[in-house]
Amino acid sequence: MGSLSSRMLWGWGRRAPGQPSAGGEEEEMVEAAMAALDEAEDESEEAGPTTSQLGLKRKSDTGGPHEKEPPRKRAKDSSESVYEALFLRGEDSDVQIRALGEAWNLHRVYLCQSGYFASMFSGAWREATMNTIELQMPDENIDREALHKALGSLYQDSVCVPPSRVVSILATASMLQLDKLIQQCGEVMKETVSAQTVCSYYYSAESYGLQNIKTMCFQWLLDNLMTQRSEQLLREISLDLMKELIASSELFVMEVEMDVYTKLKKWMFLQLQPTWTGPCRALLSDANSWFFRSKRELEGTPFLETQQGRAFVPVFQQLRLAYIICDLPSARTIDQDAVIPAAWLTPVYKEQWLAFLRAEQIRELEPINVNVSHLQGNSMRCGAQLRRDEICSWRWTGFNFGWDLVVSYNNRRIIFRRSVLNRCCGLRVSLLWQRKIAFRLRLASLDRAGSAVFRKDTEYQILALRKDQELVVVNLENQDVAFPIYVSCNFLYLCREGHCPQ
C-alpha cells in the first residue's frame, strides 16, 4: 500500500525529469475500465449487479478499438444507475482511494475528470500504477462527507450542494481541481449569503480563489455591518477584515461616525470576551462596564496602549475622529471611555478648530481642485433610514463648519437645503452667502437576508448652496424601490486653502 503526500499532489502534472511516459499502460487501463463499464451495464440489465474484487484489471476485447477518453455521462435515468453500481458499490473497480479512515473503490477513467487525479495517473509517479492510494488531507475544512460528495460528483450529472456543507465541499473540490463543482459552490454561496454565513463564505472565498464571492461578501458587510444586531457576526469578523471595513468610504454608516466607534467598542469587547452571553440590548452596557473596570485597574491608561489593546490599534486608526469630536456628547464619551489615547485626539482638535476658523474667515471662493481619493479617505460618513414612503426630514450632528444642512425626503426626491434659521445644530449658523462641499449619496434596499435588491449611487459632486437654497440630489420617480431604504452620504467641506479635516 502506497502513501501519497498532499504536497506532492499539488505538484503533479509535470513528469519527473528523465522519466519515460507511461502512456501505453495508461491506455490499457482506460480500455480496461471502458470494457468493465460496458459489461457492468449489460450484467445489471440481465442478471443484476456483480461484485468485483479490488485491483483486478480486465483486458479489453480484441474486437474494435475503444475510445481513450472517459465515457460521456448517460442520460439522467442511467446516471443514477452508474452512480449506484460504480461509485456506491464499486463494481469493476481498478483503484482504491483511502482517506480520513474511509475507502472508496473507484475507477481511473472517472477519476481522471479531476485535474488532481489526471496529473497523478498521467505522470511517471509510482501512484500511477498502484492499486491502493492513500491521500493525506492538507486542509482541515475537508472531511469524509465532503470527500464522498466530491468523488461521487465524478459519477453524476448533477450534485446537490447543501448550504450547510458548501465550505467543506468547496475545500474538497479545490484540492481535487473540480472546476464545475467549484463553480456550483460559488452559486450556492451567492444565493445563501446572510449574517450567519457571510464571514465563513468570505474567508473560504479568500482561501480558494473565488474573488467574485469574496467581493460580494465584502459588499454585504459594507451594507449591513452598521444595521445588523448580531453579536455572532461581530465575533466572526477578524481584525484584518474589520480594518478594511472601517477604512472604506463605502461603509453604510447609520447615523454618524460616532456610531462606528460604538460598533467597534462592542466588537472589541466580544473579541476579548468570546464567551459573553446575554441579550443584544445588554451588549453595549456590558462592554462599557468592562472597559470602565479596565480603566480603573490600569489607572487611566488608554486601553489601546495596553498589552491587550495594542492588537486593535490598526482598526481604531481607521476611525475619522474629526467627525466625532464635533459633537459635545460624543467628545465626552470618547474622553470618559479612555479607549483612544489622548495623543491621537490632540492634533485632531487642533486641526478641526483651524478648519472652522478658515471656514469663517476666508471669504474668497476661488476654484478648488479636488482629488477623489482624498474625498474617499477623509469625508464624513453619515446615513439615515427611510422606513416608509412618506415625507420626512433630518439633520446629521457633527456636520457643521457653520452649515445647517437639512435633508428631506418628499415625493420620491431627496433634497438638500441650507437653512440659516438658528435652530439647535452644531455650533453657530454661518451667514456667509455661499459655502462649498463635496458630497456623494448612496441608496440601498436590502432583503431579509441583507442582500441588496435596489441600489442607486451618485458620483461625487461639488455642492455650493446660498442661504435657504435647496437642491434635489436624488430623484426616485418611476423607479421600482422597496422600503426601507438606507441612505448613506459622504461629505467633505472644501475651503480655498485646500486644508480639509484629516
Side-chain angles (χ1 to χ4, degrees):
M1 181 186 303
S3 177
L4 185 61
S5 167
S6 60
R7 292 188 178 182
M8 184 185 298
L9 290 180
W10 291 112
W12 271 327
R14 297 183 182 178
R15 187 176 304 136
Q19 295 287 343
S21 170
E25 184 174 354
E26 179 187 354
E27 292 178 6
E28 181 181 346
M29 288 189 295
V30 172
E31 292 176 358
M34 286 289 297
L37 176 62
D38 294 338
E39 183 174 329
E41 290 182 346
D42 295 339
E43 292 177 355
S44 64
E45 293 178 358
E46 297 176 3
T50 60
T51 303
S52 63
Q53 295 183 354
L54 173 66
L56 294 180
K57 299 182 181 178
R58 303 185 58 203
K59 301 281 187 178
S60 60
D61 295 335
T62 57
H66 291 282
E67 294 182 2
K68 298 179 182 179
E69 60 183 29
R72 296 180 180 178
K73 294 182 177 179
R74 275 58 173 175
K76 187 175 181 180
D77 56 348
S78 63
S79 175
E80 294 181 1
S81 63
V82 169
Y83 175 78
E84 293 176 1
L86 299 186
F87 180 69
L88 295 182
R89 294 196 295 269
E91 295 179 5
D92 296 299
S93 166
D94 59 359
V95 64
Q96 185 180 75
I97 302 297
R98 291 184 178 181
L100 302 172
E102 190 74 18
W104 290 267
N105 297 328
L106 304 176
H107 312 80
R108 281 179 166 83
V109 69
Y110 277 93
L111 291 176
C112 282
Q113 297 174 86
S114 155
Y116 179 91
F117 286 112
S119 298
M120 178 193 299
F121 295 145
S122 62
W125 304 94
R126 62 174 184 171
E127 287 78 15
T129 58
M130 292 172 58
N131 292 331
T132 301
I133 299 174
E134 188 161 345
L135 305 182
Q136 302 297 325
M137 295 297 105
D139 191 335
E140 63 181 8
N141 284 328
I142 301 176
D143 56 24
R144 193 207 67 81
E145 182 181 347
L147 184 57
H148 183 85
K149 178 75 71 172
L151 293 173
S153 71
L154 300 173
Y155 293 78
Q156 295 175 288
D157 289 331
S158 61
V159 180
C160 176
V161 179
S164 60
R165 301 291 303 153
V166 67
V167 172
S168 294
I169 294 174
L170 173 62
T172 311
S174 298
M175 192 199 81
L176 298 182
Q177 302 170 37
L178 301 175
D179 293 338
K180 290 184 179 180
L181 188 55
I182 292 172
Q183 182 180 0
Q184 185 176 350
C185 289
E187 294 300 322
V188 172
M189 288 177 165
K190 285 181 181 179
E191 296 172 359
T192 58
V193 64
S194 66
Q196 292 73 38
T197 62
V198 63
C199 287
S200 63
Y201 287 0
Y202 177 88
Y203 301 134
S204 299
E206 186 175 44
S207 298
Y208 306 119
L210 296 184
Q211 185 60 43
N212 61 328
I213 302 300
K214 178 183 175 182
T215 301
M216 177 198 69
C217 292
F218 190 76
Q219 184 61 57
W220 189 99
L221 287 166
L222 290 173
D223 293 342
N224 290 271
L225 177 63
M226 299 302 298
T227 59
Q228 289 282 336
R229 297 184 177 181
S230 169
E231 61 270 14
Q232 186 58 39
L233 175 62
L234 291 179
R235 282 190 176 97
E236 294 177 356
I237 297 178
S238 67
L239 272 73
D240 290 339
L241 177 54
M242 185 62 85
K243 177 184 175 181
E244 289 188 55
L245 292 169
I246 301 303
S248 175
S249 62
E250 305 292 321
L251 181 66
F252 265 70
V253 173
M254 304 286 154
E255 302 270 336
V256 290
E257 192 75 18
M258 183 61 184
D259 295 283
V260 182
Y261 167 78
T262 302
K263 181 70 73 170
L264 281 185
K265 192 163 53 171
K266 295 177 183 178
W267 166 77
M268 182 166 61
F269 170 70
L270 290 173
Q271 298 295 309
L272 295 167
Q273 301 293 318
T275 60
W276 177 86
T277 58
C280 186
R281 63 181 179 274
L283 177 56
L284 180 58
S285 61
D286 287 356
N288 285 335
S289 299
W290 191 88
F291 286 114
F292 178 78
R293 290 194 299 270
S294 175
K295 173 184 174 181
R296 185 174 55 192
E297 292 170 1
L298 297 170
E299 299 179 349
T301 302
F303 185 77
L304 293 179
E305 292 184 346
T306 66
Q307 184 175 359
Q308 275 187 307
R310 290 191 187 100
F312 301 95
V313 166
V315 180
F316 277 80
Q317 284 177 333
Q318 309 310 314
L319 283 170
R320 304 182 183 191
L321 296 173
Y323 303 109
I324 294 178
I325 63 170
C326 290
D327 177 61
L328 181 57
S330 299
R332 284 176 173 168
T333 300
I334 292 290
D335 183 59
Q336 292 170 0
D337 285 350
V339 170
I340 296 176
W344 293 20
L345 297 170
T346 301
V348 178
Y349 277 111
K350 177 183 176 181
E351 177 59 31
Q352 202 68 339
W353 175 246
L354 292 175
F356 178 73
L357 294 179
R358 285 192 293 267
E360 285 300 301
Q361 298 179 17
I362 297 177
R363 304 301 179 94
E364 297 85 351
L365 289 172
E366 297 179 1
I368 300 172
N369 295 322
V370 181
N371 186 283
V372 173
S373 63
H374 182 74
L375 291 173
Q376 292 175 339
N378 297 282
S379 59
M380 174 187 177
R381 303 175 292 189
C382 47
Q385 184 185 41
L386 298 174
R387 297 183 181 276
R388 292 174 292 276
D389 188 8
E390 61 184 22
I391 298 174
C392 61
S393 62
W394 66 90
R395 291 175 172 87
W396 285 300
T397 61
F399 178 65
N400 38 64
F401 295 110
W403 277 78
D404 180 17
L405 188 66
V406 179
V407 186
S408 60
Y409 173 80
N410 188 3
N411 197 24
R412 295 225 164 188
R413 291 177 173 86
I414 295 180
I415 302 167
F416 286 170
R417 180 171 64 87
R418 180 189 174 191
S419 173
V420 294
L421 296 176
N422 199 356
R423 298 178 180 176
C424 294
C425 60
L427 302 179
R428 68 184 181 86
V429 174
S430 172
L431 297 179
L432 292 178
W433 74 280
Q434 190 180 69
R435 277 290 172 77
K436 284 187 177 181
I437 59 169
F439 81 95
R440 179 185 61 164
L441 206 63
R442 294 174 294 129
L443 289 80
S445 296
L446 309 176
D447 61 19
R448 292 184 177 181
S451 298
V453 295
F454 170 79
R455 193 182 296 277
K456 185 177 181 65
D457 299 350
T458 69
E459 299 294 333
Y460 273 103
Q461 304 174 43
I462 304 298
L463 177 64
L465 291 179
R466 296 178 176 87
K467 299 174 184 178
D468 291 317
Q469 183 181 5
E470 65 180 31
L471 176 69
V472 176
V473 291
V474 171
N475 190 338
L476 298 177
E477 280 189 313
N478 303 320
Q479 297 195 40
D480 186 17
V481 298
F483 288 83
I485 297 176
Y486 293 98
V487 181
S488 181
C489 195
N490 297 74
F491 286 109
L492 185 64
Y493 170 72
L494 303 175
C495 58
R496 186 181 68 84
E497 290 185 350
H499 295 286
C500 303
Q502 298 296 322

